[in-house]
Amino acid sequence: MAGTTALDSYQHLLETSRRVNWRLEDLVGEGRQLDFTRPFLPEIFAQTEPLGFLDEAEKLKLNQIRARGYLALFELVESFVVPFICDQADGGGDVDPFRAQALRHFADEEEKHRRLFGAVLRDFDARFGTDCGLIGPAEDIRRMILGHGPLAVTIAILGLEWMSQGHYLGSIKDNQDLDPQFKSLLKHHWIEEVQHARLDGLVLKSLAEHSSAEDIATATREYFEIGAFLDGGFKQQAQLDLESLERATGRTLAEDERRQFLEVQHQALRWTFLGSAMQNPNFLAALDDISEETAARVEQAAMSFILN
Ligand SMILES: [Fe+2]
Ligand SMILES: [Fe+2]
């Protein structure tokens, strides 16, 4: 099963995490700045090409706005992953002697990722020239997501973690057009996320073992609630990205261009953060391990987020 292998043990994953761990100061600072003459985000996520009314310079601006949102939304996601994983580390630690340590290390790395993304966002904002909006307040989003049961939150986090790996390996690693600094950030993020996805898979497995079929059905419903809530956020984000682009280019789009922009960009955000997670084979395999029906429903739902 792709979701769990013989190498998935808290001890092994903790040892691997410690071996591949990097320092924040090696990735940001002097001589490691974003190159604003290059795109940052792969076109599969940015979806600037369908917007034929934008010229090449405007498409590049939009790509960078979407890349900023990509990092900012990851930072936001990780802000609820940290307290959630800390809670998990504090519970059930007697089952496996390495569980609590491994999960605390996981949370520490996510906290470091938040600092990394924060530093890059500050560099971006200082040099992009105009402001870019982000949905929020982050606290309300965090509270809404963490208001669901631990099984549903674990499923949501696991989807996002396998998704980020799918993004790096499938669309970023071999893409020669992207800014090398942005790629380096996502590469280093990926190096540590590999262990996070597998650790979260272990958390899911143990939670599911203590859950009834009804609990799993409830968690599945809650997972879709979280997805629908995020989808509403992505609709707002597309509107904010439109405003950011108009500010950055000094151009006001015509009514039909705005409509097209919102349609394409909302779907692009849905694919980036929902669809590409819900059709990720590793995520689906982990879900299939706890409930075939849940896996089938998630895979089916992913279809509605596919790009036209
Ligand atoms: Fe992370
Ligand atoms: Fe993560």
Side-chain angles (χ1 to χ4, degrees), residues 7-15 96-100 102-103 198-204 206:
L7 294 178
D8 287 330
S9 76
Y10 288 110
Q11 181 180 6
H12 175 79
L13 291 166
L14 177 63
E15 285 166 1
D96 181 314
F98 293 94
R99 183 179 190 274
L103 293 180
R198 295 191 174 279
L199 285 167
D200 204 49
L202 293 177
V203 172
L204 177 66
S206 67

Side-chain angles (χ1 to χ4, degrees), residues 151-169:
L151 194 53
V153 176
T154 303
I155 292 172
I157 294 173
L158 185 65
L160 292 163
E161 275 159 1
W162 279 120
M163 175 200 92
S164 73
Q165 287 181 56
H167 287 184
Y168 179 72
L169 292 175

Side-chain angles (χ1 to χ4, degrees), residues 6-71:
L7 294 178
D8 287 330
S9 76
Y10 288 110
Q11 181 180 6
H12 175 79
L13 291 166
L14 177 63
E15 285 166 1
T16 307
S17 294
R18 285 182 171 149
R19 202 175 57 246
V20 301
N21 190 270
W22 40 262
R23 297 182 322 156
L24 186 63
E25 50 272 37
D26 294 334
L27 298 193
V28 286
E30 267 311 289
R32 295 189 183 84
Q33 290 183 315
L34 300 170
D35 176 359
F36 282 89
T37 67
R38 314 263 306 247
F40 298 160
L41 200 63
E43 173 62 16
I44 180 78
F45 309 125
Q47 290 293 298
T48 63
E49 285 308 321
L51 304 174
F53 51 85
L54 298 179
D55 66 23
E56 291 310 307
E58 290 167 336
K59 285 178 185 169
L60 183 63
K61 286 276 187 201
L62 176 57
N63 180 293
Q64 293 168 353
I65 289 166
R66 283 292 316 283
R68 188 199 184 282
Y70 187 81
L71 289 193

